[in-house]
Amino acid sequence: MTTDEVAAVVATCNRMHVSVVPQGGNTGLVGGGVPRANEVVLSTERLDVIGAVDAIGRTIRCGAGVTLSRLRSAAMEDGFDLPLDLASRDVATVGGMVATNAGGLQVFRYGHMRSQLAGVSAVLGDGTVVERMSGLRKDTAGYDLAGMLCGSEGTLAVVTEVLLKLVPIARSRLTLVVGLSGVQQALELVAAVRTLTHTLQSAEIVFADGVRLAEELFGTRSVLRRPYPCELLLELVSDSAHDPLIEIAGVALAQFGVEDNAAVSDNESTRAEFWAMRERHPELVVRLGGPRKLDVSVPLRAVPQLESLVRTAIGRVPGLVAVLYGHVGDGSLHVNISVADGVAASVEDIVFPIVAELGGSISAEHGIGVDKRAWLGLIRSSADVQMMRRIKQAFDPQEIMNPGVIFSD
Ligand code: S2G
Ligand code: ZN
């Protein structure tokens, strides 16, 4: 499939006032890729060509329907890696990750998908093809269309091709899990490690309640010798084989007197075991039943307040079990909640006002989709929403692109 073929389909739908729902790997969690009322579902699956790596420009070009793991394999064949990773890597497509401005496990080192975008081709709601695939590191000639399309959740255009930045392949990696007294200490340790080295790539937190649940429900065991209020997973990745990662880690742990609370892995065979606890966390509330998945972000200094205010508020409602975990390095936590049968509480009404009060976002990485539209006004002014609607009008004058996503019908 080609961009021009996509343009022909969209132009026809535009002429016939038929709505279009672009679909990638369908890993979305907020209903952003789900047809609801006789829309045409436009799968990007056959936009699956991977171009050659540009080793000088450090970019790779591919069709929107290429999965993250397939693209990563292609990059690694030429000695490069991708600057972002997420758990749904085998199914999530690059086009879908652009549409949601995906985050994942390496955001605070490399940034969101928007920071990785070196170019994009897309078909706007009226069938117009827009191409910005130069890969220029500097280009301020007019508006940043690629940046605007990133995170637009299919409401402005169908992303058909992507040019992504690449990073050097890892030559050395150190993975630590450290038992800590709480999220404040975790934030301080992350800050300390970042002053010691640029190689910190992931900083993920799980809490004692989630660790116990993972052990009970899945038999997933912590790599630490005893329980702690929270466990912080740090991963240092270097493109040099000579970075003294273990020494750097030792200095940071000693600064906090937590050397004895830590486990360290410097090889691939045990690395999976170190990540297992974190990677099983998204499934916990699914197994408990009645899963509601919120992914919120707050300024880093407000993360401890977010944790305590959310736990207190959720704790007041019988039948709700909250599992918090995630990307503490960039201030985004997953607040996943199991809602027992018969409990009518709206977890969004409980959690989102707390997030807004702390100056945060009700969507750190999953998008607004359909599910979170009702709370957009908590963090976006009416002038802001009106401006976004006017942008949509410019890109999609007949409003056929993913109707009902981000904006209420
Ligand atoms: C993560 C995955 C989504 C979920 O694990 O970082 O973004 O299911 C989440 O919670
Ligand atoms: Zn996440």
Side-chain angles (χ1 to χ4, degrees), residues 23 67 272 304:
Q23 219 173 56
T67 62

Side-chain angles (χ1 to χ4, degrees), residues 81-93:
D81 203 344
L82 298 179
L84 72 173
D85 186 25
L86 35 81
S88 52
R89 58 186 71 86
D90 295 330
V91 187
T93 61

Side-chain angles (χ1 to χ4, degrees), residues 63-290:
V66 173
T67 62
L68 184 64
S69 54
R70 192 171 148 241
L71 186 64
R72 184 164 189 243
S73 304
M76 293 182 87
E77 279 169 20
D78 285 338
F80 288 98
D81 203 344
L82 298 179
L84 72 173
D85 186 25
L86 35 81
S88 52
R89 58 186 71 86
D90 295 330
V91 187
T93 61
V94 176
M97 291 172 67
V98 169
T100 56
N101 187 22
L105 302 164
Q106 301 170 4
V107 168
F108 74 86
R109 181 173 191 183
Y110 296 117
H112 261 148
M113 175 55 96
R114 187 174 287 120
S115 311
Q116 317 312 330
L117 213 46
V120 72
S121 283
V123 176
L124 309 189
D126 60 3
T128 307
V129 174
V130 172
E131 174 155 318
R132 288 275 184 98
M133 294 298 266
S134 65
L136 292 171
R137 283 299 193 249
K138 287 185 177 176
D139 176 6
T140 56
Y143 297 146
D144 173 13
L145 288 183
M148 284 178 80
L149 292 180
C150 192
S152 61
E153 299 187 56
T155 61
L156 302 180
V158 182
V159 171
T160 56
E161 270 201 285
V162 175
L163 187 66
L164 268 193
K165 295 174 188 171
L166 295 172
V167 294
I169 208 163
R171 296 278 179 244
S172 55
R173 185 188 302 264
L174 194 72
T175 309
L176 304 89
V177 174
V178 195
L180 297 172
S181 59
V183 66
Q184 181 61 39
Q185 192 180 32
L187 288 168
E188 289 165 5
L189 181 55
V190 170
V193 172
R194 294 182 81 181
T195 58
L196 292 169
T197 177
H198 68 282
T199 63
L200 182 58
Q201 182 151 302
S202 292
E204 298 289 315
I205 195 167
V206 295
F207 295 89
D209 55 350
V211 171
R212 273 195 308 278
L213 263 179
E215 218 153 341
E216 281 165 30
L217 298 176
F218 303 129
T220 306
R221 304 189 62 75
S222 168
V223 295
L224 301 181
R225 284 191 291 267
R226 68 172 179 80
Y228 291 88
C230 69
E231 296 186 4
L232 177 66
L233 182 149
L234 297 172
E235 191 153 85
L236 308 181
V237 179
S238 172
D239 56 4
S240 154
H242 310 299
D243 260 326
L245 299 182
I246 190 82
E247 290 77 6
I248 291 167
V251 167
L253 294 176
Q255 270 181 18
F256 288 78
V258 292
E259 309 91 308
D260 298 337
N261 311 7
V264 180
S265 157
D266 61 359
N267 60 74
E268 280 309 305
S269 62
T270 52
R271 179 176 177 244
E273 189 191 338
F274 275 53
W275 273 97
M277 181 57 74
R278 165 59 180 85
E279 296 213 332
R280 293 307 300 262
H281 262 62
E283 304 160 52
L284 292 175
V285 290
V286 177
R287 177 65 68 87
L288 287 176

